[in-house]
Amino acid sequence: AGDGISYDHADWVTPVLTCSGTADTAGSIVYSGPITITKGGTYSGNWETTTNKTAVYIATKEPVIIENSNIRSRGNLISGFSNNLTVRNVRGYALNPNVAGKVAGRAINAEEVVNLRVENSFFSGTTGIYVRKFLGNTAQGDGIRILRNQFRNTDGRVSDGNGGYTDQHSVVQAILFNDVKRMPNAEIAWNEIINEPGKSRTEENINFYTSSGTPQNPIRVHNNYIQGAYSARPTTDSSYPGGGILVGDGVVSDPLDSGYTEVYNNQVVGTTNHGISIDGGTGSNVHDNRVVGSGLTPDGQRLPAANVGLYVWDLAGGQKLSPATFGSNRMVNNVVGWTRVGADGKTSNNPTWFPDCGVNGTVCTGNQNLGTVTLAMEQQEYQLWQNKLSASNVKVGP
């Protein structure tokens, strides 16, 4: 009832629990084969591929809406080039490729996109939403908007060809912008991204690689809930780079081509290596987020690769270029607690690492340190998220 879970009760009569994949295997959804869309319009259906092909391939530049659908595949769920695409109220499931050396397919593979909206959908086990280049007309309202979706277990692990996975992996994210430059109409908001150890392998959950908004209209990343980022063996790997949100990734020669991203009002929980980071670029503003990590898996095991909550680091050395491609960034007014657990069980805290604050007008101030974070504090973040959704009257997922 919005006031916590104490003293709450429920009566259960012949309960039936369905979760990702079980309803499909039980036969309640009848899938047809893959589809290639060659004309604009609205499409609804249940499509699957049992090979490494795309389940829904879009071969038209006309506006296409895919809604109220179920999709599963050993390859990409939805893919195309130069598309004007809306995806809403879709449930998508990646299947093990069952080919040695291959990884699961992308939820949406959008190359040279003209317009993209992904809303109120659910994706499980995929290698995320991949957007490479934007070719639309922003003056006509074209843009990229990824809103109110649920992502579960973004998984870049390599298939062993026999229904399982190896410790090898590809670098994947739940949401990746690649070479999306000077983009004024982009928003990633109100998404719920949850990964589980042993069932996922992601780098950053949200990453901007050689991508940017504009000084007047930055890419807006706000009110997302991100929980978990793990290596293939999270309780034994001591080196793992994955985390929550990373802006300014990659190397550019023009300061307008990386950065100009505003990241605010997000919750990032237990993402191992880092929570939210500025890795380069110009003009990004990271503010008023909650970043919390206990250094433990959800069942209380130690994460040897746990590192830092917030960092600002000019990894590519953009400050040394002419013109400089690192500067005027802000990491301000965030609430952060990041705890590391040693092999001896002793804890230490590492909330922030700011080696390049102060460089070319970059500012890092007002960040509140929560001190030692417990697993119970991590768990409380999800309740805060639920309360936030209720107070804001926002529904995530289908």
Side-chain angles (χ1 to χ4, degrees):
D3 59 351
I5 61 173
S6 298
Y7 306 106
D8 287 354
H9 302 274
D11 292 325
W12 298 89
V13 181
T14 58
V16 176
L17 173 65
T18 60
C19 51
S20 59
T22 57
D24 301 344
T25 57
S28 60
I29 297 174
V30 177
Y31 287 88
S32 59
I35 182 175
T36 297
I37 295 174
T38 59
K39 289 184 63 65
T42 299
Y43 295 80
S44 298
N46 303 313
W47 303 287
E48 71 170 348
T49 57
T50 56
T51 65
N52 298 117
K53 304 295 185 180
T54 295
V56 179
Y57 187 79
I58 303 166
T60 178
K61 296 182 179 180
E62 298 172 0
V64 169
I65 298 173
I66 300 172
E67 65 180 9
N68 305 325
S69 299
N70 295 277
I71 306 171
R72 64 182 183 185
S73 179
R74 299 190 191 280
N76 292 330
L77 304 185
I78 301 171
S79 188
F81 290 81
S82 301
N83 299 137
N84 184 336
L85 173 64
T86 296
V87 176
R88 61 193 182 206
N89 197 37
V90 167
R91 296 179 182 272
Y93 307 91
L95 304 175
N96 189 311
N98 259 359
V99 175
K102 284 192 173 292
V103 300
R106 299 190 187 279
I108 300 172
N109 188 67
E111 304 256 6
E112 301 177 355
V113 65
V114 172
N115 186 50
L116 178 66
R117 296 188 71 98
V118 187
E119 301 177 342
N120 292 101
S121 293
F122 173 90
F123 303 109
S124 175
T126 74
T127 47
I129 295 176
Y130 175 75
V131 184
R132 186 185 67 84
K133 288 188 180 295
F134 175 77
L135 302 181
N137 186 339
T138 57
Q140 295 180 359
D142 294 339
I144 303 169
R145 298 169 181 88
I146 302 173
L147 309 174
R148 303 179 302 278
N149 303 287
Q150 292 175 309
F151 298 80
R152 294 294 184 271
N153 292 325
T154 303
D155 197 357
R157 293 177 298 167
V158 169
S159 175
D160 64 6
N162 194 34
Y165 295 92
T166 73
D167 292 343
Q168 301 300 309
H169 67 275
S170 291
V171 175
V172 303
Q173 293 83 9
I175 301 171
L176 172 62
F177 281 20
N178 178 15
D179 200 26
V180 180
K181 292 184 169 70
R182 309 186 190 193
M183 173 65 198
N185 287 353
E187 182 179 17
I188 300 171
W190 296 104
N191 299 287
E192 181 180 279
I193 305 173
I194 297 178
N195 298 297
E196 300 172 272
K199 300 180 181 180
S200 61
R201 204 291 177 189
T202 182
E203 296 270 310
E204 294 76 40
N205 282 274
I206 300 176
N207 177 284
F208 299 92
Y209 183 79
T210 62
S211 296
S212 61
T214 68
Q216 297 78 23
N217 293 289
I219 298 171
R220 298 171 58 218
V221 184
H222 65 93
N223 292 294
N224 299 286
Y225 179 86
I226 299 172
Q227 178 182 311
Y230 304 104
S231 73
R233 294 188 177 273
T235 60
T236 58
D237 288 345
S238 59
S239 178
Y240 164 67
I245 302 172
L246 189 148
V247 302
D249 197 10
V251 179
V252 297
S253 59
D254 190 313
L256 291 174
D257 288 345
S258 178
Y260 297 107
T261 304
E262 185 178 14
V263 180
Y264 60 100
N265 292 345
N266 301 284
Q267 290 173 261
V268 177
V269 181
T271 51
T272 305
N273 182 271
H274 63 95
I276 304 179
S277 305
I278 299 175
D279 213 36
T282 303
S284 287
N285 185 7
V286 178
H287 64 92
D288 297 291
N289 302 283
R290 294 183 60 84
V291 179
V292 178
S294 69
L296 301 170
T297 63
D299 64 356
Q301 298 185 72
R302 172 177 175 257
L303 290 168
N307 187 13
V308 64
L310 304 172
Y311 77 73
V312 177
W313 179 30
D314 179 18
L315 174 63
Q319 61 188 279
K320 299 177 183 178
L321 301 179
S322 182
T325 59
F326 176 87
S328 301
N329 296 298
R330 301 177 77 242
M331 180 73 78
V332 300
N333 300 331
N334 301 285
V335 175
V336 56
W338 210 260
T339 296
R340 299 185 290 192
V341 181
D344 59 1
K346 294 182 179 179
T347 61
S348 61
N349 297 324
N350 193 32
T352 61
W353 183 56
F354 294 151
D356 287 310
C357 286
V359 172
N360 293 339
T362 293
V363 175
C364 304
T365 61
N367 298 294
Q368 177 187 345
N369 182 4
L370 288 174
T372 300
V373 175
T374 66
L375 197 56
M377 291 169 67
E378 280 195 9
Q379 294 164 350
Q380 289 166 7
E381 289 297 314
Y382 190 71
Q383 185 61 53
L384 289 176
W385 167 244
Q386 293 296 308
N387 294 344
K388 182 178 181 178
L389 291 174
S390 178
S392 303
N393 197 28
V394 173
K395 178 183 181 295
V396 297

